[in-house]
Amino acid sequence: MKLNYLMPTRILLEEDCLYRNRILLGELGRKALVVTGKNSARVNGSYADAVQALEANGQDHVPFQRVMSNPTDLCVYEAGALARAEGCDFVLAIGGGSPMDAAKAAAVLALNDIPKEEFFGLAFKTALPVAAVPTTAGTGSETTPYSVLVDTTGPDGKTPRREGPVKRSVGSPLLFPRLAFLDPKYSFGLSRDITVHTAMDALSHGIEGMLSIRANHVSDLLARESMALIQGCLDLLCNFPSDPWTLSREVREKLLLASSIAGMVIAQSGTAVPHSMGYLFTLNWGTDHGRANGLLMGSFLKWCRAREAADPSIGPRIPVLCSALGMDLDRFCGIMEQLLGKREKATERELAAWGAMPMKNAANTYIKPGQEEIMAMFQDAVAGGNNLR
Ligand code: NAP
Ligand code: ZN
């Protein structure tokens, strides 16, 4: 057995946790770059709570309220430049995975003058401290050392990338947020689709974490717990109320905690091939990140099951995963279908292009799929193939 476990984020979960624990925020610096999306942080009260906590601490702040879903390289360079120009010495991220990931990259760019061509893949040595307030329950970015971005430009950082936009990530222990403030009240008004899709993301982090070559004893333990928490909410997710506000606090809290715990899983294990494949749906169709994973999950798991059955030398992980999910694979796939509703369909041309692309996380998957197998999963998931049993 080998273990190398790091999780330096302090997690605070309680009602009004930002204000109640503002003293911890006070330790991060004098002036915050407060990074949010365009609207939600002002609507759900998280931005106002943050300002109240900062002001009570006597801390200054400057807002950056322009992060789009799936943030771009251009966006994070802009945020980093603002932090630098304003002399910010820490970053407060509020929102879903997009503002949290943008904030982490801005924290690096505020201190480092990195040419765009070197940004992805550079082992930077400094970053401003980050505190995160997740307002969706899915990405777990508040407990991961990753920032996932859409790279839109060429090496000069200005002209559009010749091959088109691509999702890329930076990862460093420096990107673990110092503090994660989990207050479920910000997610009370989340729509059915955002709630379900982000829950699918958290679920996929637990599943892919268990099916990663880097899974370890602790990450498996955390994956089981995150899946058990989500499993307890599946009935309500399948029968989502017409008014999102009527979903109980307990359910919102469970989903938020499950998401943070699943973040701790992928912080250790990374993700597996569905994440790389799903990025193509997001880039080409604008599919929500969690839904993209959900569209692929059943096909991926059925392929894993078939490979395990065909080759006894592959340690059987699917039965272990199913016991963690509390159901067999067919039942799980049925629930995913119910949550997904009508599936998107890809054209032959799209499939041919995607099937030929390298999938970075394939090598992190406990059974490494080849190009043809990846194509078969795409076929099954979005070409109406239904050929994996
Ligand atoms: P998101 O892109 O952050 O947000 C999706 C939508 O939800 C936005 O329109 C946002 O509005 C809205 N929203 C956020 N909080 C809300 C609330 N409390 N009430 C109502 N609306 C709210 O979506 P996400 O799924 O959380 O994040 C996806 C990103 O995270 C992707 O780029 C993905 O690659 C990345 N990701 C990162 C990691 C990691 O480890 N770093 C892991 C998984 C995924 P506003 O724009 O107005 O805020
Ligand atoms: Zn994800």
Side-chain angles (χ1 to χ4, degrees), residues 201 204-205 275 289 293:
D201 193 20
S204 70
H205 295 161
H275 261 68
H289 169 69
N293 300 331

Side-chain angles (χ1 to χ4, degrees), residues 36-41 43-44 67-71 94-101 104 134-142 144-150 167 185-191 194 197-198 201 205 263 266 271 275 279 282 288-290 293:
T36 70
K38 292 193 179 119
N39 293 308
S40 68
V43 175
N44 63 38
V67 181
M68 67 293 280
S69 279
N70 306 296
I94 307 174
S98 299
M100 289 192 281
D101 284 5
K104 292 177 183 179
T135 65
T136 61
T139 71
S141 179
E142 67 277 11
T144 76
Y146 314 121
S147 166
V148 186
L149 304 171
V150 180
K167 275 210 154 200
K185 76 177 174 195
Y186 303 134
S187 63
F188 286 172
L190 271 180
S191 67
I194 299 179
H197 294 164
T198 49
D201 193 20
H205 295 161
I266 57 165
T271 52
H275 261 68
Y279 287 163
T282 301
D288 287 352
H289 169 69
N293 300 331

Side-chain angles (χ1 to χ4, degrees), residues 32 43 70 78 161 226 244 273 303 380 383:
V43 175
N70 306 296
E78 209 185 307
R161 207 170 167 271
S226 71
V273 75
W303 171 76
D380 191 63

